[in-house]
Amino acid sequence: MHIINTDILTCNEADIVKRVKRFDRETNLELKDEKFALIGNLPFNIGTPLLLKWLYQLERKEGLFAFDAVPMVLLLQKEVAKRIAAKTGDTDFSRLSVMTQRSCHAKTVFDIPGSAFVPPPKVETTVVKIEPLPNGPAFYPRVPLETMEILLKGLFENRRKVISNSVRNLPESAHSILEGQTFVDPRSRPQNLTIEQWCYLADRWSSKQL
């Protein structure tokens, strides 16, 4: 086992693997034939930013994702894990649900009680498994994840409002994305849109910016 003291939010995990291989004096530093998994008990305060880092790496084929569709098994705050795996219409369906499930299959595996830790945390924890889809995003793969994130932040800002009202939270170039189409009902609330509908709206906005 090797312990690497570094900032997980900014490091390149592929570089860490190469450093460990050199330390072990292995001559073959090719990583394309290796199999990796990201497994961790994530600090509650950086769980979401860290997952977003990996989702962006997955889209750009950076870090370990440059070599394989790396599965992730993560221990997170229960409410965060539920948001990651939530389905359309669920109370917990959120920005994080869409950003994850656009390119991955996500499911909660089991809960771990606070009594299992010393000292016990004040919140419950859940293991979530996230597996990248083998062929990449199922819908509108050309849409940048950054565009998706801005769209989701704007429309989920007021979950109780219909999206035709919340669209005003977005940059002006996105104000007309609901016009002239019938695939997404402007009277819908954000938690009731499917992953495909979210990707469709992001694609319409992305096309308007070209």
Side-chain angles (χ1 to χ4, degrees):
M1 180 177 70
H2 298 270
I3 298 176
I4 307 296
N5 183 10
T6 190
D7 184 349
I8 190 64
L9 284 172
T10 59
C11 74
N12 184 321
E13 290 82 4
D15 289 342
I16 291 176
V17 172
K18 290 178 181 179
R19 285 167 54 192
V20 170
K21 279 182 167 285
R22 290 192 183 97
F23 183 83
D24 286 341
R25 298 181 181 178
E26 295 187 20
T27 57
N28 180 13
L29 296 180
E30 291 294 328
L31 301 184
K32 61 183 179 180
D33 297 323
E34 302 279 0
K35 295 295 181 182
F36 299 100
L38 287 166
I39 303 172
N41 176 5
L42 305 189
F44 294 157
N45 62 324
I46 65 168
T48 297
L50 191 50
L51 175 59
L52 291 177
K53 167 197 166 180
W54 288 329
L55 290 175
Y56 273 101
Q57 285 185 334
L58 173 61
E59 178 189 58
R60 298 164 182 166
K61 299 188 184 305
E62 297 175 345
L64 292 180
F65 298 98
F67 311 104
D68 197 8
V70 178
M72 295 168 266
V73 181
L74 310 173
L75 180 62
L76 293 157
Q77 192 171 343
K78 185 173 184 177
E79 64 180 50
V80 175
K82 289 173 66 176
R83 289 203 300 269
I84 291 170
K87 302 303 181 185
T88 298
D90 290 350
T91 303
D92 296 304
F93 192 71
S94 65
R95 169 180 69 108
L96 202 54
S97 314
V98 180
M99 292 189 68
T100 303
Q101 296 175 42
R102 175 188 183 232
S103 56
C104 302
H105 173 70
K107 66 176 182 178
T108 55
V109 184
F110 55 83
D111 299 335
I112 298 180
S115 59
F117 301 92
V118 179
K122 296 180 181 180
V123 297
E124 296 182 70
T125 58
T126 298
V127 173
V128 61
K129 186 174 184 179
I130 303 169
E131 296 182 283
L133 300 175
N135 298 315
F139 310 108
Y140 304 95
R142 69 177 184 176
V143 177
L145 189 58
E146 183 178 8
T147 299
M148 288 287 301
E149 184 171 16
I150 297 171
L151 176 71
L152 289 159
K153 280 183 177 179
L155 297 189
F156 267 108
E157 187 173 330
N158 296 292
R159 295 175 60 91
R160 296 183 180 180
K161 286 187 176 182
V162 298
I163 57 175
S164 58
N165 290 333
S166 299
V167 75
R168 299 167 191 167
N169 297 328
L170 298 169
E172 187 175 352
S173 60
H175 288 183
S176 61
I177 59 173
L178 295 171
E179 299 173 3
Q181 59 82 39
T182 58
F183 187 55
V184 178
D185 187 346
R187 298 167 296 179
S188 299
R189 289 181 169 80
Q191 62 270 28
N192 294 324
L193 298 187
T194 65
I195 303 294
E196 183 177 7
Q197 287 175 317
W198 277 111
C199 294
Y200 170 78
L201 291 179
D203 182 66
R204 281 178 63 85
W205 183 22
S206 182
S207 298
K208 291 176 181 294
Q209 298 180 81
L210 296 178

